[in-house]
Amino acid sequence: MFKKILIANRGEIACRVIRTAKKMGIKTVAVYSDADARAPHVRMADESVRLGPPPASESYLNAELIITACKETGAEAVHPGYGFLSERESFARALADAGIAFIGPPPNAIAAMGDKIESKKLAKEAGVNVVPGFLGDIATTEDAVRIAGEIGYPVMMKASAGGGGKGMRLAWSEQDVREGFEATKREGLASFGDDRVFIEKFIESPRHIEIQVIGDQHGNILYLGERECSVQRRHQKVVEEAPSPFVTPEMRKAMGEQAVALARAVGYYSAGTVELIVSGADPTGKSFYFLEMNTRLQVEHPVTEEVTGLDLVEQMIRVAAGEKLAVTQDDVKLNGWSIENRVYAEDPYRGFLPSTGRLVRYRPSAEKRDEDGVVRVDDGVFEGGEVSMFYDPMIAKLVTWAPTREEAIAAQVEALDEFVIDGIGHNVDFLSALMQHPRFQEGRLTTGFIAEEYPEGFQGAPASEELIADLAIIAAVAGHVTDARACAISDQLNGAVAAPDLRVVRIAGAEHHVVIEDVEQGVLARLDGGDPIEVIGRWQPGQIRFRGTVDGRRRIVQIARSGRDWLLTARGASHKVQVYPAHVAELTRHMIEKIPPDLSKFLIAPMPGLLTALNVKEGDKVEAGQPLAVVEAMKMENILRAQKPGTVGKVAAQPGDSLAVDAVILEFE
């Protein structure tokens, strides 16, 4: 077994590999860019080596620097994690030439599966179902239009070397192909150094299901069940679960055997994933097709670990060291249900725009592991750290396991209520809303789920009348406790004054009257003159969460001040609440409402990024929907369009400029 390994990655996956290595008694070496000098993975490792400046091309993607770091530290093997160099054949070969083990598959398997065009040909030869499409090289937009027409719309345009949702465009018409083909080529070139594009039929009502495989260097290959990864946004996975609510044991066996056949055809060993597109409209489950094989550890591997009891990172390390798999296919049993939510630095209330900056507050859900359930947080950030524009926007992976799917979902909702992030935009509310959505709970999923259910964007999860009532009571208690403390230290000449028992609470467009009867031994509250309601659970000013019950209902509510208002966050939405003593509430009716400024005359940057293209100049007339500019953020191109007709009055930014969020690009007359 190896004595020391280097992890050629960063963030949560680097931390994840280090944890398993420590459990196995293996020393670890972390590498880092200047942006990650204080990152958790650097502190967790036994040694660390600086690679270079923040851009990945000058640090994490520089194979020579990583090999040098191995030689300097005596690392015998490299675990690449996912992304960066994990699927680069040349890196695996360079390690082999340097006498360093690669904790991953053989280079020829990476090469065979890394080219999505060639991999589909290999899959077809191995007897694996493939999606109808054109696998040759497509040179021009006109060729793309012709091929798409022959296949039949809708079609998907994909960068041959793509992954992670980058370099993909869905085309429903010839115009979509003309607009998107060149952009797909550019994204493929920018992200992967390869601008080849292929086109295939888009399966309507599709489910994205993938099979985890693991093999050793002695010819043993197993499949470890499936993961349902259909909940995606812009082809980027958001929620994953194992097993799939759609897959039957017969489907699992058929999919698994085809995945193993493909792996065997390329001499595969280590962990890998065969991704399938499955027609949700076919209840027989026979309409599944090969998409691609990821020759690395997947982001969503924890859900497979939780239902199989296998540590996939440990298996990868043992396989790389030449050991045989300790389990057979008959030993693989799926136990219970596991769900993973990806917590991203993005603002769902602003069209899911990337959000960068400092994590002013970061308090993830409390982890637990017992016979009743699991709450697991895989992360690589820390409170006070920065989410950089240079890397992936994922903050953490929240994983739950329970005996049933319903219990695993309920555990996610409660854990998401506990997840506190301040300083940057995040998608915790959105994830909670997904978990509570009736269609998700029923398992009626397709890759279009988010687009179909949130066509106008996300404005928070709908709140029941019961939840609103409970939040009104919790807000009244928080207001009463805060005022009681202020009264106790007011230094009045005639002694301390008492905080009034009656609170007027305004929430969700309604006004409630809440009387607080006792806050010392436990609270009794009367809502709008009703019967006393018992509130169990104490909260003190400065605490970020209320944990307790209201009338027997368990509530975890994040509490913060927003100016003179309160901000209560629970079950997928933040609610701005006003809490006043009765006489103050009466006076607030005379306050002048502040009207926000009109920003419709400006085109502003919705996120930090690089202005790569400007399509208009001063004096140009524009129509609603017309592309005006392109901003690149986190290697994704974002087209900014005119919201209404107008005339460009002033150009405030030029291509090549780095833009801050809300920076003005154009001003209209």
Side-chain angles (χ1 to χ4, degrees):
M1 180 51 64
F2 307 119
K3 292 183 172 60
K4 183 186 291 187
I5 65 173
L6 181 145
I7 297 90
N9 217 298
R10 63 177 298 279
E12 67 86 13
I13 188 57
C15 295
R16 163 75 188 86
V17 175
I18 291 170
R19 280 193 292 270
T20 287
K22 286 182 179 294
K23 181 182 72 175
M24 298 174 68
I26 301 171
K27 292 189 177 299
T28 55
V29 180
V31 292
Y32 64 92
S33 72
D34 292 340
D36 286 334
R38 297 172 58 235
H41 77 280
V42 177
R43 298 198 301 269
M44 286 176 65
D46 297 296
E47 300 174 61
S48 60
V49 177
R50 176 187 177 273
L51 293 178
S57 60
E58 300 175 48
S59 51
Y60 296 106
L61 285 171
N62 191 318
E64 291 183 8
L65 292 176
I66 290 170
I67 292 172
T68 299
C70 289
K71 293 177 178 177
E72 290 176 351
T73 59
E76 305 159 81
V78 170
H79 195 300
Y82 51 73
F84 293 138
L85 297 171
S86 62
E87 293 181 283
R88 189 165 294 185
E89 174 201 8
S90 59
F91 179 56
R93 293 195 186 280
L95 287 173
D97 292 342
I100 301 165
F102 180 65
I103 303 175
N108 61 298
I110 297 175
M113 293 294 102
D115 187 321
K116 289 182 172 55
I117 294 173
E118 293 303 316
S119 68
K120 287 181 184 297
K121 294 178 181 177
L122 279 168
K124 194 170 184 179
E125 291 172 5
V128 179
N129 304 342
V130 297
V131 180
F134 183 83
L135 302 181
D137 191 19
I138 303 173
T140 67
T141 299
E142 292 305 321
D143 289 337
V145 168
R146 175 179 53 78
I147 290 166
E150 291 171 355
I151 295 171
Y153 292 102
V155 298
M156 182 70 79
M157 297 177 289
K158 295 184 180 180
S160 180
K166 297 182 177 69
M168 299 174 69
R169 289 287 193 286
L170 176 60
W172 294 90
S173 64
E174 178 180 328
Q175 182 180 350
D176 291 343
V177 175
R178 293 189 181 279
E179 286 186 0
F181 180 72
E182 290 299 329
T184 306
K185 287 172 70 74
R186 286 194 300 271
E187 283 187 7
L189 185 62
S191 297
F192 310 103
D194 186 343
D195 69 351
R196 289 178 302 156
V197 173
F198 68 95
I199 298 178
E200 65 184 13
K201 179 71 175 175
F202 178 70
I203 307 298
E204 297 186 67
S205 298
R207 298 181 82 113
H208 185 118
I209 294 172
E210 58 191 32
I211 302 292
Q212 176 72 58
V213 297
I214 185 79
D216 61 25
Q217 299 185 50
H218 304 276
N220 302 303
I221 305 176
L222 314 177
Y223 64 90
L224 306 180
E226 80 284 352
R227 295 184 288 257
E228 173 88 55
C229 304
S230 297
V231 182
Q232 304 177 6
R233 194 187 65 79
R234 295 181 184 171
H235 313 296
Q236 180 72 51
K237 298 166 190 171
V238 179
V239 182
E240 301 99 355
E241 59 183 306
S244 163
F246 182 72
V247 173
T248 64
E250 293 76 21
M251 291 170 62
R252 182 176 300 120
K253 185 173 186 293
M255 292 174 175
E257 289 177 349
Q258 285 200 16
V260 168
L262 177 61
R264 199 174 297 284
V266 293
Y268 199 88
Y269 56 79
S270 193
T273 297
V274 175
E275 300 199 349
L276 305 168
I277 193 84
V278 182
S279 173
D282 182 1
T284 68
K286 294 181 179 179
S287 300
F288 63 87
Y289 307 97
F290 172 77
L291 275 179
E292 61 181 327
M293 184 174 188
N294 290 303
T295 55
R296 55 170 167 80
L297 194 66
Q298 290 280 88
V299 176
E300 57 272 20
H301 76 274
V303 294
T304 297
E305 293 183 325
E306 295 301 334
V307 297
T308 62
L310 294 171
D311 183 328
L312 290 179
V313 173
E314 179 181 349
Q315 296 301 317
M316 293 179 73
I317 294 172
R318 293 192 181 282
V319 166
E323 295 185 13
K324 287 186 177 181
L325 292 175
V327 295
T328 66
Q329 190 64 62
D330 290 339
D331 296 325
V332 178
K333 308 293 182 187
L334 304 186
N335 174 39
W337 215 282
S338 185
I339 297 175
E340 173 181 291
N341 273 304
R342 300 191 188 189
V343 180
Y344 282 121
E346 62 184 14
D347 190 345
Y349 295 99
R350 297 185 64 190
F352 297 91
L353 295 173
S355 181
T356 59
R358 194 160 302 284
L359 282 167
V360 176
R361 180 170 284 162
Y362 177 69
R363 307 287 172 86
S365 317
E367 293 193 281
K368 78 161 193 171
R369 184 174 293 274
D370 56 38
E371 60 185 15
D372 297 324
V374 172
V375 176
R376 167 178 168 180
V377 179
D378 284 13
D379 61 14
V381 299
F382 64 100
E383 188 168 283
E386 188 172 353
V387 176
S388 169
M389 66 179 287
F390 295 102
Y391 310 120
D392 187 89
M394 190 167 66
I395 297 172
K397 301 184 307 196
L398 177 63
V399 183
T400 58
W401 174 92
T404 67
R405 186 172 187 265
E406 293 74 17
E407 291 170 306
I409 292 171
Q412 277 284 347
V413 174
E414 184 166 308
L416 288 163
D417 277 347
E418 284 206 343
F419 218 113
V420 178
I421 300 174
D422 284 337
I424 60 173
H426 59 84
N427 67 336
V428 170
D429 283 356
F430 180 64
L431 296 174
S432 182
L434 291 177
M435 294 296 99
Q436 298 172 69
H437 198 289
R439 183 173 156 189
F440 178 82
Q441 295 189 343
E442 293 166 14
R444 294 186 293 108
L445 307 176
T446 70
T447 55
F449 171 71
I450 290 177
E452 291 160 9
E453 297 300 327
Y454 300 94
E456 304 300 322
F458 178 71
Q459 300 301 325
S464 66
E465 291 183 7
E466 185 178 76
L467 175 60
I468 292 296
D470 288 355
L471 292 178
I473 291 171
I474 292 169
V477 170
H480 190 283
V481 170
T482 302
D483 287 352
R485 171 175 287 192
C487 290
I489 59 174
S490 64
D491 203 24
Q492 294 286 327
L493 291 176
N494 295 326
V497 297
D501 294 333
L502 174 61
R503 300 277 145 177
V504 176
V505 180
R506 295 172 184 156
I507 180 173
E511 184 173 283
H512 301 277
H513 292 76
V514 184
V515 177
I516 306 298
E517 297 190 353
D518 187 7
V519 293
E520 291 299 326
Q521 303 303 319
V523 176
L524 289 178
R526 291 182 184 271
L527 178 68
D528 297 328
D531 294 334
I533 295 172
E534 185 178 34
V535 181
I536 300 175
R538 301 196 63 178
W539 177 85
Q540 295 296 327
Q543 291 182 337
I544 58 178
R545 303 183 190 93
F546 167 86
R547 290 192 185 94
T549 62
V550 179
D551 203 20
R553 294 180 290 273
R554 179 165 170 78
R555 296 297 187 198
I556 300 173
V557 181
Q558 296 179 28
I559 300 179
R561 296 306 297 263
S562 177
R564 295 182 179 180
D565 300 331
W566 294 86
L567 195 65
L568 271 59
T569 304
R571 300 187 71 83
S574 296
H575 302 269
K576 189 166 282 190
V577 189
Q578 290 84 41
V579 182
Y580 303 115
H583 69 285
V584 176
E586 186 61 34
L587 293 174
T588 61
R589 302 182 191 281
H590 304 289
M591 296 293 290
I592 298 173
E593 183 179 356
K594 185 177 181 180
I595 300 174
D598 179 16
L599 299 178
S600 63
K601 64 181 294 188
F602 300 102
L603 177 70
I604 59 177
M607 74 207 81
L610 180 70
L611 182 62
T612 58
L614 192 62
N615 302 328
V616 294
K617 60 184 184 301
E618 289 185 15
D620 284 358
K621 294 186 181 299
V622 300
E623 299 296 329
Q626 179 179 335
L628 301 177
V630 178
V631 175
E632 182 184 295
M634 295 178 176
K635 295 186 178 179
M636 295 289 282
E637 289 189 354
N638 301 273
I639 300 174
L640 307 185
R641 300 178 183 273
Q643 298 300 308
K644 60 183 182 180
T647 302
V648 178
K650 180 181 178 182
V651 176
Q654 296 296 329
D657 289 354
S658 292
L659 304 173
V661 64
D662 293 334
V664 175
I665 301 172
L666 300 173
E667 183 175 348
F668 300 99
E669 294 179 352

